[in-house]
Amino acid sequence: QEQPVESGGGSVQAGGSLRLSCVASGDSFDTSCMGWFRQSPGNERESVAAIGYAAGSEYYDADVKGRFTISRDNAKNRLYLEMNNLKPEDSAMYYCAADSCRQGWWLLRPVAFRNWGQGTQVTVSS
């Protein structure tokens, strides 16, 4: 797999919405597991959500569950993250990650993903 490429970040006010997109080239996209992670200055990278290739295989960090939705379009080799009711603490660089559904992907472990994008910045103001 080639490096994923994220887009869709920006600045919004609290309560607003953003939709992140990630394109990942390669023939194995439809059998890959994908994830979104985020990192703010001075903090470690943290999990946001992950999705497998089987229907219903979406997993979320407790901080975003109910506000964020992860989805994928295999025909377009794209991964999405719909973010609603954004809070200032959601501000971070958001990274797309991909791999071949290695051990721990459903636990949103960063080590389960070997292919990472460069990130897209999300800033939420109060």
Side-chain angles (χ1 to χ4, degrees):
Q1 284 184 326
E2 295 183 12
Q3 184 179 38
V5 178
E6 305 94 337
S7 61
S11 298
V12 295
Q13 291 190 328
S17 299
L18 280 174
R19 188 192 195 203
L20 304 184
S21 178
C22 169
V23 59
S25 59
D27 296 334
S28 60
F29 180 88
D30 57 346
T31 58
S32 297
C33 288
M34 309 287 294
W36 287 101
F37 297 82
R38 64 188 183 187
Q39 188 170 17
S40 54
N43 294 316
E44 293 185 355
R45 187 166 297 188
E46 59 183 35
S47 61
V48 176
I51 186 168
Y53 54 81
S57 58
E58 298 92 25
Y59 301 90
Y60 297 92
D61 185 87
D63 288 343
V64 307
K65 194 170 185 178
R67 299 189 297 123
F68 292 10
T69 302
I70 189 171
S71 63
R72 64 193 296 166
D73 185 337
N74 290 339
K76 297 181 179 179
N77 277 27
R78 283 192 177 270
L79 175 73
Y80 301 101
L81 185 68
E82 184 75 34
M83 305 185 295
N84 298 313
N85 191 22
L86 282 160
K87 305 175 181 180
E89 50 265 42
D90 293 320
S91 296
M93 186 71 80
Y94 281 71
Y95 297 92
C96 170
D99 213 309
S100 57
C101 302
R102 301 168 72 210
Q103 182 76 15
W105 76 266
W106 64 92
L107 299 174
L108 283 68
R109 291 177 177 163
V111 295
F113 298 88
R114 290 172 293 184
N115 300 293
W116 293 81
Q118 294 294 316
T120 185
Q121 180 67 40
V122 172
T123 303
V124 185
S125 57
S126 58

